[in-house]
Amino acid sequence: METVKDCHHPWTWMMVTADGAVTPCCFASGRLGNLNEASADAIWNGVLAMELRAFIKADRVHDICRSAPCKYVQNMPGEPAALQRTPEQEREFDGKWYLSKYPDVAEAVAQGTVESAWAHYRSFGRVEAREARCRNPVFPIPVVAVQG
């Protein structure tokens, strides 16, 4: 039986809707970003896309796919109680770029309101759909456009 680890979509294509929303496939309930807010390259190589790929490799359901009606998610016997971020993701996160992109976050870090750029992104930025970058981009992005 195929499970999440058998899904290849986040490595081979992404779906773009008419309003610019980017998802890893047509079934995903969450989005990776929006082309009106970030470049395709930034979304493809971003922290959220890397995180999704890491979850799939570990045969874990990511929030983006949590309620997807696809066979990979539907065939999962159960889900972990808490979705944890890995140390590798923190190391790959480009905090310097994130702070330069978002001066409000830089100010919060400087004032000690938020511990770091990574802490902000992990707790708030991801939910707010803020753009993020990895230090080491993976590979070029094939794009599949969807109308309507």
Side-chain angles (χ1 to χ4, degrees):
M1 176 179 343
E2 292 179 307
T3 63
V4 170
K5 73 180 180 331
D6 299 302
C7 177
H8 61 86
H9 296 297
W11 286 273
T12 57
W13 69 288
M14 64 182 176
M15 185 178 82
V16 180
T17 62
D19 66 354
V22 175
T23 62
C25 74
C26 61
F27 293 112
S29 53
R31 66 182 200 155
L32 291 171
N34 190 298
L35 291 178
N36 295 312
E37 300 163 4
S39 70
D41 185 57
I43 294 169
W44 184 263
N45 295 305
V47 172
L48 191 53
M50 301 300 247
E51 180 181 280
L52 173 61
R53 292 178 188 122
F55 269 64
I56 290 172
K57 283 182 180 180
D59 205 22
R60 294 174 60 196
V61 177
H62 190 276
D63 285 342
I64 287 177
C65 303
R66 178 127 345 260
S67 60
C70 75
K71 64 183 177 182
Y72 304 117
V73 173
Q74 297 301 310
N75 288 340
M76 291 298 288
E79 298 175 13
L83 299 173
Q84 300 295 318
R85 307 295 180 254
T86 67
E88 292 79 23
Q89 292 163 340
E90 184 171 2
R91 279 194 301 274
E92 288 300 316
F93 180 77
D94 190 344
K96 186 175 181 180
W97 177 88
Y98 189 78
L99 294 176
S100 70
K101 171 86 174 174
Y102 301 108
D104 60 318
V105 177
E107 184 177 335
V109 170
Q111 293 177 351
T113 308
V114 178
E115 180 183 345
S116 66
W118 172 248
H120 180 276
Y121 182 77
R122 189 182 64 236
S123 299
F124 308 107
R126 192 170 147 252
V127 175
E128 296 168 355
R130 292 193 190 220
E131 185 179 354
R133 288 189 183 170
C134 286
R135 293 181 185 166
N136 300 310
V138 185
F139 41 84
I141 308 167
V143 176
V144 175
V146 175
Q147 298 200 3

